[in-house]
Amino acid sequence: MRRLWPLTARGTGAAVLAVACFVVANEVGIVELMYFGLLLVAVLAASILSLYLTRRSDTVTRSLSPDVAAVGRESLVTVRVGVRTALPTAPGTWRDTIPRGLAAQARGVFPALGSGLRGAERVVQFSYVVTGERRGIHPLGPLQVTTSDPFGLARRTTVFGERTPVTVAPAVTDLPALSDFAGEAGGTLHTTNNQLGQGADNLIARPYAPGDSMRRIHWRATAHRDELMVRQEEQESTPEATVVIDRGVLRFSPEAMQAPGADAGFEAAVSACVSVVTRLVHDGYAVEVIDSDGTPLAERIDGGDMSEVEGLVNSFAGLTARRDDHLGKLPRVFAGMMTGPVVLIVGRFDPADADTVAPVVHHSTLPLLLAVAPVGDALERAADRGWHAAAVDPDGDLAVAWSSAAQRGISHVLR
């Protein structure tokens, strides 16, 4: 906040003393007090002029490491201030304005600078740590620098209006792997094989058929079987997974549609979405992220491509809820197809919703349901329909909910 009163406590005391000298000199008739009061006024005026008549140009740039902050994570902010001043300046203080979505102790000492009439612009650099508190894009700044004259009688606060947008991505929780699943439910670490027999090194042998290349003859198998055998490569398929986040505002609160980070329930859903995608891609799944009506929210991410996951997490910094409720359209999205795990993330979830999404179960090798605000026996009814469901507490541990749903999923896959 800019200070309207330009004097420090010392300067204010000097001004009061000057007024007192004038009053006493007028009442008592001591001329020396009048001179002393005039001297104090002259010193105060010179102090103010030394601050406000000094020409200076300042540029402010900020950089973050890492470039994108995250909820609950720390980032280092480096501020560079380019200064050119005609007269030497005394040391002062600096304070950077921190928006609501970030937390930091952004203040410190601004060093003294010598005259820059014959020199180039000097750069003052300082840094501080900022912590993401609310998802979204927040303007960091402006920077305020307060300096005083050499006598400490007057102060000047200069506000540099440059602001730096800081992207705060949703929090990513480290989830346990689906290591107990096989085939399409277990990622490329357990890649499915469409094979016609047994073999090694992704090669199997089959009887020779007219048209087969002689270069593919498997001589050892031919000698063992006493008939001409050829090599046939196993056909490996990359398992796929789909993560669905239902953004209907009716399942959260109106604040979820106004700005990122405004509704705790929607934040829990977004964090669960990016955490699940991170886990599945790390495990080797090719993952699609869609809304409940089938609208893609990101490009398909290939298994193991963690750079694309980082891009997805950053893009979800500005994700908000939407007005329409399309959860009832979800069964049509999966109609006529069969896929790997389907992870459905919803806000409010009642028993009627469990009946609505029940058909999706028959199109997935592992249907997982994470509900932020389940109503009544909705999760139990969903489990009866074949879902492996768990509640996600905005203040709880997402990894516990994920593990709970996954462990229930083991019995479903192995049946």
Side-chain angles (χ1 to χ4, degrees), residues 190-278:
H190 307 278
T191 303
T192 57
N193 294 322
N194 298 325
Q195 58 185 24
L196 302 176
Q198 300 296 326
D201 299 327
N202 290 335
L203 296 175
I204 60 176
R206 63 169 177 81
Y208 174 84
D212 287 339
S213 173
M214 297 300 293
R215 290 178 297 180
R216 297 177 58 189
I217 294 178
H218 195 301
W219 296 108
R220 185 172 60 180
T222 299
H224 180 73
R225 298 286 298 273
D226 200 22
E227 64 175 312
L228 200 59
M229 306 291 290
V230 295
R231 295 188 300 270
Q232 176 172 297
E233 298 180 356
E234 295 177 353
Q235 299 176 355
E236 295 187 348
S237 63
T238 300
E240 297 181 347
T242 306
V243 178
V244 184
I245 177 171
D246 181 36
R247 298 190 296 141
V249 69
L250 297 178
R251 301 185 179 277
F252 299 97
S253 71
E255 289 78 10
M257 193 171 59
Q258 297 173 2
D263 177 65
F266 189 72
E267 293 309 297
V270 173
S271 178
C273 179
V274 296
S275 299
V276 170
V277 171
T278 302

Side-chain angles (χ1 to χ4, degrees), residues 5-374:
W5 182 245
L7 300 180
T8 64
R10 183 184 301 176
T12 302
V16 172
L17 181 58
V19 172
C21 289
F22 294 146
V23 173
V24 174
N26 184 57
E27 294 294 334
V28 181
I30 303 177
V31 181
E32 289 78 4
L33 289 179
M34 181 67 70
Y35 294 152
F36 184 71
L38 291 174
L39 177 61
L40 289 177
V41 171
V43 172
L44 290 174
S47 298
I48 295 175
L49 289 175
S50 68
L51 293 176
Y52 285 84
L53 294 183
T54 301
R55 293 188 177 182
R56 55 188 302 170
S57 61
D58 301 83
T59 58
V60 178
T61 59
R62 300 178 182 86
S63 61
L64 272 74
S65 179
D67 295 337
V68 177
V71 175
R73 302 291 179 87
E74 293 183 346
S75 294
L76 181 65
V77 180
T78 301
V79 183
R80 295 170 60 87
V81 184
V83 182
R84 186 191 300 274
T85 177
L87 298 177
T89 61
T93 60
W94 63 268
R95 182 171 70 87
D96 215 359
T97 304
I98 305 299
R100 289 183 55 189
L102 301 171
Q105 294 293 328
R107 62 185 63 205
V109 177
F110 198 87
L113 297 174
S115 174
L117 288 176
R118 293 174 297 179
E121 182 181 65
R122 269 77 52 80
V123 176
V124 178
Q125 179 173 307
F126 46 84
S127 60
Y128 58 90
V129 175
V130 67
T131 303
E133 288 191 336
R134 181 172 174 174
R135 184 176 58 89
I137 301 176
H138 310 286
L140 186 59
L143 178 70
Q144 299 182 14
V145 177
T146 301
T147 56
S148 61
D149 66 288
F151 298 105
L153 300 177
R155 70 167 66 89
R156 180 186 181 186
T157 299
T158 306
V159 178
F160 308 113
E162 292 90 345
R163 290 179 169 87
T164 302
V166 176
T167 301
V168 180
V172 178
T173 302
D174 187 15
L175 303 179
L178 300 176
S179 57
D180 293 326
F181 298 96
E184 291 189 355
T188 54
L189 298 179
H190 307 278
T191 303
T192 57
N193 294 322
N194 298 325
Q195 58 185 24
L196 302 176
Q198 300 296 326
D201 299 327
N202 290 335
L203 296 175
I204 60 176
R206 63 169 177 81
Y208 174 84
D212 287 339
S213 173
M214 297 300 293
R215 290 178 297 180
R216 297 177 58 189
I217 294 178
H218 195 301
W219 296 108
R220 185 172 60 180
T222 299
H224 180 73
R225 298 286 298 273
D226 200 22
E227 64 175 312
L228 200 59
M229 306 291 290
V230 295
R231 295 188 300 270
Q232 176 172 297
E233 298 180 356
E234 295 177 353
Q235 299 176 355
E236 295 187 348
S237 63
T238 300
E240 297 181 347
T242 306
V243 178
V244 184
I245 177 171
D246 181 36
R247 298 190 296 141
V249 69
L250 297 178
R251 301 185 179 277
F252 299 97
S253 71
E255 289 78 10
M257 193 171 59
Q258 297 173 2
D263 177 65
F266 189 72
E267 293 309 297
V270 173
S271 178
C273 179
V274 296
S275 299
V276 170
V277 171
T278 302
R279 180 71 266 174
L280 293 177
V281 173
H282 182 273
D283 287 348
Y285 290 97
V287 180
E288 291 188 355
V289 185
I290 62 174
D291 205 335
S292 54
D293 62 348
T295 302
L297 299 179
E299 296 291 336
R300 182 178 183 269
I301 303 176
D302 294 330
D305 193 349
M306 301 309 295
S307 62
E308 289 296 325
V309 173
E310 183 179 354
L312 169 73
V313 175
N314 296 343
S315 67
F316 271 32
L319 189 70
T320 57
R322 67 178 185 179
R323 190 178 304 277
D324 301 326
D325 185 10
H326 293 309
L327 188 61
K329 298 181 179 180
L330 187 62
R332 283 182 285 176
V333 175
F334 293 94
M337 61 177 293
M338 188 67 186
T339 186
V342 173
V343 182
L344 173 59
I345 303 168
V346 297
R348 181 183 56 81
F349 188 77
D350 56 37
D353 297 324
D355 297 332
T356 300
V357 300
V360 179
V361 171
H362 306 292
H363 301 276
S364 170
T365 60
L366 178 61
L368 291 168
L369 172 66
L370 301 176
V372 176

